Amino acid sequence: TSKTCSHCGDDTKSNRVERGLYICSSCELVANADCNGAENMRQKITLSPHGEDRSNGCVAQPSIHLFDRESGTFQTREQVVL
């Protein structure tokens, strides 16, 4: 999967220049080879029209938990959004 271009589909083996680097000889995409391979796998599982935005509109909202040493429990900390 990491030898095929996730953008144009070119499958020239020499596109994977070295460990971690992928440069497509057809469309000149430059990417991390593992990310290119992961995108190829995603395209096989979750088909979407070429060029369409794949966003589902959700944005990650990480939570913060502070550890209270006295009680040995985690306390939720509210975040301030600027």
Side-chain angles (χ1 to χ4, degrees):
T1 56
S2 62
K3 294 180 181 176
T4 301
C5 178
S6 61
H7 187 258
C8 73
D10 182 31
D11 62 351
T12 306
K13 290 182 181 182
S14 62
N15 285 348
R16 187 159 179 166
V17 179
E18 59 184 64
R19 183 179 176 96
L21 180 61
Y22 183 89
I23 302 174
C24 180
S25 57
S26 295
C27 71
E28 299 181 357
L29 171 78
V30 177
N32 175 288
D34 293 335
C35 291
N36 179 63
E39 175 60 14
N40 283 327
M41 287 186 270
R42 189 216 52 86
Q43 288 176 7
K44 288 179 182 179
I45 295 169
T46 309
L47 299 176
S48 61
H50 188 70
E52 182 179 305
D53 183 13
R54 299 185 319 255
S55 173
N56 63 6
C58 297
V59 178
Q61 297 293 324
S63 61
I64 298 173
H65 297 277
L66 301 176
F67 184 71
D68 183 354
R69 291 183 184 184
E70 290 181 18
S71 67
T73 61
F74 287 95
Q75 303 295 324
T76 303
R77 176 176 152 191
E78 296 295 325
Q79 294 184 6
V80 177
V81 179
L82 301 176

